[in-house]
Amino acid sequence: EVLLLESGGGLVQPGGSLRLSCAASGFHFTTYAMSWVRQAPGKGLEWVSSVSGGGGNTYYAESVRDRFTISRDNSRTTLFLQMNALRAEDTAIYFCAKDYCSGTSCVNDYWGQGTLVTVSS
Amino acid sequence: QSALTQTASVSGSPGQSITISCSGTSSDVGGYNVVSWYQQHPGKAPKLIIYEDTKRPSGVSNRFSGSKSGSTASLTISGLQAEDEADYHCCAYAGSRFRLFGGGTKLIVL
Protein backbone atom coordinates (compact mmCIF):
# COMPACT_ATOMS: atom_id res chain seq x y z
CA GLU A 1 0.00 0.00 0.00
CA VAL A 2 1.32 3.42 -0.98
CA LEU A 3 1.51 5.79 1.96
CA LEU A 4 2.59 9.44 1.98
CA LEU A 5 2.77 11.25 5.30
CA GLU A 6 3.48 14.99 5.40
CA SER A 7 4.77 16.89 8.40
CA GLY A 8 6.32 20.24 9.25
CA GLY A 9 3.41 22.61 8.70
CA GLY A 10 2.47 25.32 11.14
CA LEU A 11 2.13 29.03 11.78
CA VAL A 12 4.95 31.27 10.55
CA GLN A 13 5.34 35.02 10.23
CA PRO A 14 5.66 36.71 6.83
CA GLY A 15 9.25 36.53 5.67
CA GLY A 16 9.88 33.40 7.71
CA SER A 17 10.90 29.88 6.72
CA LEU A 18 9.49 26.40 7.08
CA ARG A 19 10.59 22.94 5.96
CA LEU A 20 8.02 20.35 5.00
CA SER A 21 8.73 16.63 4.92
CA CYS A 22 6.91 13.74 3.31
CA ALA A 23 7.69 10.17 4.36
CA ALA A 24 6.89 7.69 1.59
CA SER A 25 6.39 3.93 1.68
CA GLY A 26 4.80 1.14 -0.31
CA PHE A 27 6.51 1.75 -3.65
CA HIS A 28 10.01 1.96 -5.12
CA PHE A 29 10.67 5.56 -4.18
CA THR A 30 13.71 6.13 -6.39
CA THR A 31 11.82 5.20 -9.53
CA TYR A 32 9.26 7.98 -9.34
CA ALA A 33 9.27 11.74 -9.52
CA MET A 34 7.49 13.43 -6.63
CA SER A 35 5.56 16.68 -6.37
CA TRP A 36 4.14 19.22 -3.96
CA VAL A 37 0.67 20.60 -4.69
CA ARG A 38 -1.04 23.19 -2.50
CA GLN A 39 -4.59 24.33 -1.86
CA ALA A 40 -5.38 27.71 -0.35
CA PRO A 41 -8.44 27.82 1.93
CA GLY A 42 -11.59 27.40 -0.16
CA LYS A 43 -9.63 27.47 -3.41
CA GLY A 44 -8.54 25.06 -6.13
CA LEU A 45 -5.34 23.08 -6.39
CA GLU A 46 -2.03 24.64 -7.44
CA TRP A 47 1.04 22.71 -8.56
CA VAL A 48 4.08 23.98 -6.64
CA SER A 49 7.12 21.89 -7.49
CA SER A 50 8.38 18.50 -8.73
CA VAL A 51 11.64 16.58 -8.47
CA SER A 52 12.88 13.69 -10.59
CA GLY A 53 13.42 10.23 -9.13
CA GLY A 54 17.14 10.70 -8.75
CA GLY A 55 16.75 14.21 -7.40
CA GLY A 56 18.88 15.84 -10.06
CA ASN A 57 16.09 17.69 -11.86
CA THR A 58 13.78 20.13 -10.13
CA TYR A 59 10.84 22.16 -11.40
CA TYR A 60 8.95 25.09 -9.86
CA ALA A 61 5.85 27.18 -10.38
CA GLU A 62 6.64 30.82 -11.07
CA SER A 63 4.90 31.84 -7.84
CA VAL A 64 7.49 30.02 -5.69
CA ARG A 65 10.60 29.99 -7.86
CA ASP A 66 13.67 31.36 -6.03
CA ARG A 67 11.90 31.06 -2.64
CA PHE A 68 11.14 27.34 -2.37
CA THR A 69 13.53 24.41 -2.80
CA ILE A 70 12.41 20.84 -3.39
CA SER A 71 14.69 17.93 -2.56
CA ARG A 72 14.59 14.25 -1.67
CA ASP A 73 16.57 11.75 0.36
CA ASN A 74 16.17 8.43 -1.41
CA SER A 75 17.98 6.54 1.36
CA ARG A 76 15.23 7.64 3.75
CA THR A 77 12.41 7.66 1.12
CA THR A 78 11.58 11.20 2.14
CA LEU A 79 10.60 14.28 0.13
CA PHE A 80 11.25 17.82 1.36
CA LEU A 81 10.12 21.35 0.59
CA GLN A 82 12.19 24.20 2.03
CA MET A 83 10.09 27.35 2.00
CA ASN A 84 11.77 30.74 2.52
CA ALA A 85 10.55 34.33 2.36
CA LEU A 86 7.02 33.15 3.03
CA ARG A 87 4.09 35.38 2.15
CA ALA A 88 0.47 35.50 3.24
CA GLU A 89 -0.54 34.08 -0.15
CA ASP A 90 1.50 30.93 0.58
CA THR A 91 -1.08 29.99 3.23
CA ALA A 92 -2.45 26.63 2.13
CA ILE A 93 -2.62 22.93 2.73
CA TYR A 94 0.47 21.40 1.13
CA PHE A 95 0.04 17.93 -0.34
CA CYS A 96 2.86 15.56 -1.19
CA ALA A 97 2.04 13.48 -4.27
CA LYS A 98 3.63 10.68 -6.26
CA ASP A 99 4.00 11.27 -10.00
CA TYR A 100 2.95 8.84 -12.68
CA CYS A 101 4.26 9.80 -16.11
CA SER A 102 3.19 8.26 -19.41
CA GLY A 103 4.47 9.21 -22.82
CA THR A 104 2.31 12.32 -22.99
CA SER A 105 1.74 13.62 -19.50
CA CYS A 106 2.35 13.34 -15.78
CA VAL A 107 -0.35 13.01 -13.14
CA ASN A 108 -0.39 12.47 -9.39
CA ASP A 109 -1.71 8.99 -8.66
CA TYR A 110 -1.20 8.98 -4.89
CA TRP A 111 -1.52 11.83 -2.42
CA GLY A 112 -0.79 12.41 1.24
CA GLN A 113 -3.36 13.93 3.58
CA GLY A 114 -1.62 17.31 3.56
CA THR A 115 -0.06 19.64 6.09
CA LEU A 116 -1.36 23.15 6.79
CA VAL A 117 0.95 26.14 6.44
CA THR A 118 -0.35 29.45 7.77
CA VAL A 119 1.61 32.63 7.11
CA SER A 120 0.41 35.40 9.38
CA SER A 121 1.71 37.96 11.86
CA GLN B 1 -0.50 30.93 -17.28
CA SER B 2 -4.00 31.36 -15.85
CA ALA B 3 -5.88 28.60 -14.12
CA LEU B 4 -8.22 26.49 -16.22
CA THR B 5 -11.88 27.55 -16.13
CA GLN B 6 -14.46 25.38 -14.39
CA THR B 7 -18.06 26.09 -13.43
CA ALA B 8 -18.24 26.78 -9.70
CA SER B 9 -20.96 24.25 -8.98
CA VAL B 10 -23.25 21.71 -10.60
CA SER B 11 -26.09 19.66 -9.16
CA GLY B 12 -28.05 16.56 -10.03
CA SER B 13 -30.40 14.00 -8.55
CA PRO B 14 -29.49 10.39 -7.79
CA GLY B 15 -29.50 8.27 -10.93
CA GLN B 16 -29.05 11.21 -13.28
CA SER B 17 -25.99 12.07 -15.34
CA ILE B 18 -24.05 15.30 -15.03
CA THR B 19 -21.19 16.83 -16.97
CA ILE B 20 -18.46 19.13 -15.65
CA SER B 21 -16.51 21.18 -18.16
CA CYS B 22 -12.97 22.53 -18.07
CA SER B 23 -11.83 25.20 -20.51
CA GLY B 24 -8.29 26.14 -21.40
CA THR B 25 -6.18 26.89 -24.44
CA SER B 26 -4.45 24.97 -27.20
CA SER B 27 -1.27 25.15 -25.11
CA ASP B 28 -2.71 23.26 -22.17
CA VAL B 29 -6.09 21.48 -22.36
CA GLY B 30 -5.80 21.26 -26.14
CA GLY B 31 -2.62 19.22 -25.97
CA TYR B 32 -2.51 15.51 -26.80
CA ASN B 33 -3.75 13.28 -23.93
CA VAL B 34 -2.82 15.79 -21.22
CA VAL B 35 -6.02 16.20 -19.18
CA SER B 36 -6.68 14.54 -15.84
CA TRP B 37 -9.47 14.82 -13.28
CA TYR B 38 -9.39 14.54 -9.50
CA GLN B 39 -12.18 13.95 -7.00
CA GLN B 40 -11.84 15.53 -3.56
CA HIS B 41 -14.20 14.96 -0.64
CA PRO B 42 -14.24 17.62 2.12
CA GLY B 43 -11.15 17.49 4.28
CA LYS B 44 -9.62 14.70 2.20
CA ALA B 45 -6.82 14.36 -0.30
CA PRO B 46 -7.58 14.49 -4.02
CA LYS B 47 -8.05 11.17 -5.81
CA LEU B 48 -7.12 10.61 -9.46
CA ILE B 49 -10.19 9.44 -11.44
CA ILE B 50 -9.30 10.22 -15.10
CA TYR B 51 -5.94 10.59 -16.85
CA GLU B 52 -4.80 11.05 -20.45
CA ASP B 53 -8.18 12.65 -21.24
CA THR B 54 -10.23 9.44 -21.10
CA LYS B 55 -8.48 6.68 -19.11
CA ARG B 56 -9.63 5.44 -15.70
CA PRO B 57 -7.16 4.18 -13.09
CA SER B 58 -7.75 0.69 -11.79
CA GLY B 59 -10.54 0.65 -9.22
CA VAL B 60 -12.33 3.79 -10.43
CA SER B 61 -15.99 3.23 -11.29
CA ASN B 62 -16.92 3.16 -14.98
CA ARG B 63 -19.64 5.69 -14.11
CA PHE B 64 -16.86 8.27 -14.49
CA SER B 65 -15.81 9.12 -18.04
CA GLY B 66 -13.68 11.81 -19.64
CA SER B 67 -13.81 13.43 -23.06
CA LYS B 68 -12.39 16.42 -24.86
CA SER B 69 -13.19 18.68 -27.79
CA GLY B 70 -10.57 21.21 -28.77
CA SER B 71 -9.61 23.21 -25.68
CA THR B 72 -12.52 22.06 -23.53
CA ALA B 73 -12.44 18.86 -21.52
CA SER B 74 -15.43 17.25 -19.84
CA LEU B 75 -16.04 14.84 -17.00
CA THR B 76 -19.32 12.94 -17.07
CA ILE B 77 -20.69 11.07 -14.07
CA SER B 78 -23.56 8.73 -14.86
CA GLY B 79 -25.96 7.07 -12.41
CA LEU B 80 -25.26 9.78 -9.84
CA GLN B 81 -24.87 8.52 -6.27
CA ALA B 82 -24.82 10.36 -2.94
CA GLU B 83 -21.13 9.53 -2.43
CA ASP B 84 -20.27 11.36 -5.66
CA GLU B 85 -20.89 14.66 -3.87
CA ALA B 86 -17.42 16.22 -3.83
CA ASP B 87 -15.21 18.78 -5.51
CA TYR B 88 -13.86 17.89 -8.95
CA HIS B 89 -10.64 19.40 -10.26
CA CYS B 90 -9.40 19.27 -13.83
CA CYS B 91 -5.71 19.44 -14.63
CA ALA B 92 -3.69 19.88 -17.82
CA TYR B 93 -0.07 18.84 -18.15
CA ALA B 94 1.92 21.49 -20.00
CA GLY B 95 5.33 19.83 -20.14
CA SER B 96 8.47 20.00 -17.98
CA ARG B 97 6.50 18.67 -15.02
CA PHE B 98 4.35 21.83 -15.06
CA ARG B 99 0.64 21.20 -14.56
CA LEU B 100 -2.22 23.67 -14.53
CA PHE B 101 -5.35 23.09 -12.44
CA GLY B 102 -8.86 24.47 -12.71
CA GLY B 103 -10.60 26.25 -9.86
CA GLY B 104 -12.65 23.18 -9.01
CA THR B 105 -16.36 22.36 -9.39
CA LYS B 106 -18.54 21.49 -6.43
CA LEU B 107 -20.96 18.67 -7.25
CA ILE B 108 -24.15 18.70 -5.19
CA VAL B 109 -26.29 15.57 -5.18
CA LEU B 110 -29.86 16.65 -4.47
Side-chain angles (χ1 to χ4, degrees), chain A residues 19-34:
Chain A
R19 189 194 197 202
L20 306 183
S21 300
C22 171
S25 62
F27 64 102
H28 195 256
F29 188 67
T30 306
T31 298
Y32 295 95
M34 297 290 294

Side-chain angles (χ1 to χ4, degrees), chain A residues 21-115:
Chain A
S21 300
C22 171
S25 62
F27 64 102
H28 195 256
F29 188 67
T30 306
T31 298
Y32 295 95
M34 297 290 294
S35 295
W36 289 98
V37 178
R38 68 185 181 184
Q39 186 172 34
K43 301 296 184 181
L45 301 170
E46 180 188 14
W47 173 78
V48 172
S49 182
S50 297
V51 61
S52 60
N57 295 303
T58 57
Y59 311 85
Y60 299 94
E62 277 299 319
S63 58
V64 306
R65 192 184 305 275
D66 299 327
R67 299 188 299 124
F68 290 10
T69 302
I70 192 172
S71 62
R72 61 192 296 163
D73 183 339
N74 285 345
S75 67
R76 291 196 288 155
T77 64
T78 302
L79 176 72
F80 302 101
L81 185 68
Q82 176 67 42
M83 304 184 295
N84 298 331
L86 282 161
R87 307 166 180 167
E89 54 264 37
D90 295 318
T91 294
I93 296 173
Y94 284 73
F95 295 99
C96 160
K98 172 183 168 292
D99 276 21
Y100 167 74
C101 295
S102 64
T104 58
S105 68
C106 294
V107 297
N108 297 112
D109 57 347
Y110 291 93
W111 298 63
Q113 287 304 303
T115 186

Side-chain angles (χ1 to χ4, degrees), chain A residues 2-6 37-39 45 93-98 108-115, chain B residues 37-49 85-89 101:
Chain A
V2 173
L3 290 176
L4 300 170
L5 183 62
E6 303 94 336
V37 178
R38 68 185 181 184
Q39 186 172 34
L45 301 170
I93 296 173
Y94 284 73
F95 295 99
C96 160
K98 172 183 168 292
N108 297 112
D109 57 347
Y110 291 93
W111 298 63
Q113 287 304 303
T115 186
Chain B
W37 290 89
Y38 298 85
Q39 177 192 59
Q40 185 181 28
H41 288 104
K44 301 295 185 181
K47 173 188 175 183
L48 179 67
I49 57 173
E85 185 162 295
D87 292 330
Y88 291 85
H89 305 272
F101 286 94

